[in-house]
């Protein structure tokens, strides 16, 4: 009752590849008084971001700092039973919680400590799992459908298969890591190909020195040096050609990763996850016909097309504002 007299301030943090988005809501008597969003070029917390947050948290003693978990070592398990959790994942180095007594989600304990240390200047009240966000965002579908549900972030992909609110399978994946690995592989292959080309020169063993000397004797009395100039020009052209291929090798390292289609990388991760779901005996495999995507990073139509044409899935895409959805989770947590 005392708290209802004060303004509530919800600070919601979304970490991206190279920047951080902070969304703030000022809430009073079940009404949003004000909301504001800023993006900062930092992956932790800098002075500018700190000043922005303190400007609003200083307005009330009731403020709540929330963040969407970005740990790579996180996931979800189709059980809450302590005796069965180990079948799906070794959680000895993780923190895990049960979701509505139906399934569990976990994250790295080490990453949680690192997060707490990074945001010590402001503190963190709630760390939300992307699987919880996915379950709440698609609650209307999960409760009544058998389908695959995917949360797409800029860097991560969280995938879960539900059968009428029963979790069957889940996987959290780092899209950027796969892109870097693929780019490095192609770069190595390209570099090897170019070096091989450069190594293919004249085979000196095939040259007959005697024949070559006799050939030169025939031209001993020629005063015209045009032929020598042509030889110099040819040598210069070889140098330029070699320099060109060396430049190509250097440029490949910087541009190959940029050239990779992110949605295609996401498709490959989804495809491998579905294969794993079907093949591993520990999962209750059921044929998937539909996929619902919560798009938090602005995916193109390519991902939808890949899934429809290559995996014959019915695909439905909903836009999701990750920061606002974190705020909704924080409000729900306070009211629970």
């Amino acid at each position: 009752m005392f708290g209802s007299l004060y303004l509530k301030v919800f600070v919601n943090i979304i970490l991206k590849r190279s920047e951080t988005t902070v969304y703030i809501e000022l809430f009073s008597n079940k009404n949003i008084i004000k909301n504001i969003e800023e993006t900062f070029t930092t992956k932790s917390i800098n002075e500018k971001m700190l000043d922005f947050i303190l400007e609003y948290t200083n307005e009330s003693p009731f403020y709540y700092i929330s963040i969407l978990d970005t740990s790579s070592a996180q996931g979800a398990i189709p059980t809450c039973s302590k005796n069965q959790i180990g079948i799906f994942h070794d959680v000895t180095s993780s923190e895990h919680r049960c979701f509505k007594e139906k399934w569990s989600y976990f994250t790295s304990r080490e990453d949680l400590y690192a997060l707490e240390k990074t945001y010590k200047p402001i503190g963190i009240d709630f760390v939300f799992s992307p699987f919880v966000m996915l379950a709440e965002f698609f609650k209307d579908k999960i409760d009544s459908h058998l389908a695959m549900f995917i949360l797409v972030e800029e860097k991560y992909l969280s995938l879960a298969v539900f059968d009428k609110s029963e979790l069957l399978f889940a996987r959290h994946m780092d899209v950027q890591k796969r892109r870097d690995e693929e780019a490095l592989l192609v770069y190595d292959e390209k570099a090897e190909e170019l070096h091989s080309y450069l190594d293919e020169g004249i085979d000196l063993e095939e040259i007959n020195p005697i024949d070559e000397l006799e050939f030169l004797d025939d031209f001993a009395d020629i005063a015209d040096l045009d032929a020598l100039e042509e030889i110099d020009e040819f040598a210069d052209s070889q140098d330029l050609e070699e320099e060109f291929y060396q430049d190509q090798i250097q440029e490949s390292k910087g541009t190959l990763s940029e050239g990779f289609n992110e949605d295609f990388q996401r498709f490959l991760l989804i495809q491998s996850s579905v294969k794993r779901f079907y093949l591993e005996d520990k999962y209750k495999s059921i044929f998937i016909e539909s996929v619902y995507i919560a798009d938090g990073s602005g995916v193109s139509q390519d991902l939808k097309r890949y899934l429809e044409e290559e995996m014959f899935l019915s695909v439905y895409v909903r836009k999701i504002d990750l920061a606002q959805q974190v705020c909704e989770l924080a409000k729900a947590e306070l009211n629970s």
Side-chain angles (χ1 to χ4, degrees):
M1 187 174 181
F2 179 71
S4 65
L5 300 175
Y6 283 89
L7 189 70
K8 289 185 174 66
V9 180
F10 293 91
V11 179
N12 312 279
I13 300 171
I14 301 295
L15 300 177
K16 300 180 180 179
R17 282 200 192 107
S18 58
E19 58 188 21
T20 301
T21 294
V22 180
Y23 171 75
I24 296 177
E25 271 193 17
L26 277 60
F27 202 76
S28 179
N29 295 323
K30 299 183 180 180
N31 293 310
I32 299 174
I33 304 301
K34 182 180 180 180
N35 58 40
I36 186 170
E37 182 175 300
E38 289 283 347
T39 297
F40 304 90
T41 55
T42 177
K43 293 178 69 176
S44 55
I45 181 168
N46 57 21
E47 185 177 351
K48 187 176 180 181
M49 179 176 159
L50 179 60
D51 290 343
F52 172 72
I53 293 173
L54 292 179
E55 178 184 350
Y56 294 96
T57 56
N58 287 339
E59 293 189 19
S60 172
F62 294 94
Y63 62 86
Y64 309 92
I65 313 291
S66 304
I67 191 167
L68 185 63
D69 192 4
T70 59
S71 172
S72 296
Q74 63 172 302
I77 301 168
T79 182
C80 283
S81 171
K82 293 182 180 180
N83 296 328
Q84 295 181 348
I85 284 178
I87 297 174
F88 300 96
H89 184 76
D90 182 3
V91 293
T92 54
S93 60
S94 303
E95 291 289 337
H96 64 280
R97 299 288 184 272
C98 188
F99 182 82
K100 297 181 179 180
E101 301 182 358
K102 294 180 178 180
W103 50 273
S104 302
Y105 55 94
F106 64 87
T107 191
S108 163
R109 189 176 293 120
E110 182 179 347
D111 289 342
L112 284 178
Y113 291 150
L115 203 62
E116 183 181 21
K117 183 178 179 180
T118 298
Y119 291 93
K120 188 176 180 180
I122 56 173
I124 293 180
D125 297 291
F126 304 119
V127 178
F128 290 110
S129 165
F131 292 99
V132 172
M133 176 178 285
L134 192 61
E136 294 294 346
F137 186 71
F138 281 121
K139 188 178 185 302
D140 59 323
K141 300 299 181 184
I142 287 175
D143 287 347
S144 58
H145 287 65
L146 162 63
M148 178 165 58
F149 298 86
I150 301 170
L151 176 65
V152 177
E153 300 176 59
E154 188 177 271
K155 186 178 178 182
Y156 297 101
L157 198 71
S158 301
L159 178 152
V161 179
F162 284 95
D163 182 12
K164 296 181 178 65
S165 76
E166 178 189 357
L167 178 66
L168 304 181
F169 173 82
R171 194 177 178 197
H172 181 75
M173 295 159 284
D174 189 329
V175 180
Q176 182 64 41
K177 181 180 179 181
R178 180 180 177 88
R179 287 185 68 220
D180 291 344
E181 290 173 350
E182 292 283 348
L184 182 61
L185 176 62
V186 173
Y187 164 68
D188 287 343
E189 291 176 351
K190 187 69 175 177
E192 184 178 349
E193 177 185 339
L194 292 174
H195 281 302
S196 176
Y197 177 86
L198 293 174
D199 287 341
E200 290 178 2
I202 299 173
D203 189 350
L204 296 178
E205 293 182 357
E206 294 182 358
I207 298 177
N208 188 327
I210 296 177
D211 292 342
E212 295 302 317
L213 288 173
E214 291 175 353
F215 174 78
L216 291 174
D217 286 342
D218 293 337
F219 293 89
D221 296 331
I222 296 179
D224 188 358
L225 298 179
D226 288 344
L228 292 177
E229 291 176 358
E230 290 177 1
I231 291 172
D232 288 340
E233 290 175 2
F234 176 72
D236 290 341
S237 69
Q238 277 191 318
D239 290 340
L240 289 172
E241 185 175 29
E242 180 169 345
E243 183 179 347
F244 167 76
Y245 279 105
Q246 292 292 348
D247 289 343
Q248 288 291 95
I249 292 173
Q250 293 300 320
E251 290 175 6
S252 294
K253 187 173 182 180
T255 61
L256 273 173
S257 64
E258 295 175 8
F260 275 95
N261 185 307
E262 282 196 346
D263 283 336
F264 185 66
Q265 298 303 314
R266 292 184 176 107
F267 162 71
L268 292 178
L269 289 171
I270 294 168
Q271 188 181 52
S272 66
S273 297
V274 171
K275 182 178 180 181
R276 181 176 174 182
F277 170 61
Y278 286 147
L279 294 180
E280 294 192 16
D281 294 336
K282 61 185 177 182
Y283 300 112
K284 179 184 173 183
S285 297
I286 299 177
F287 185 69
I288 301 169
E289 295 182 351
S290 302
V291 55
Y292 292 86
I293 297 174
D295 176 16
S297 69
V299 298
S300 69
Q301 286 295 313
D302 289 340
L303 180 58
K304 186 175 187 292
R305 178 170 56 83
Y306 294 144
L307 295 171
E308 289 176 338
E309 295 180 2
E310 301 297 329
M311 298 180 66
F312 309 105
L313 293 166
S314 298
V315 183
Y316 308 91
V317 181
R318 286 186 192 174
K319 293 289 184 180
I320 182 173
D321 188 308
L322 297 172
Q324 290 184 19
Q325 193 63 29
V326 166
C327 189
E328 293 304 313
L329 293 175
K331 292 175 188 176
E333 189 71 21
L334 287 177
N335 293 328
S336 61

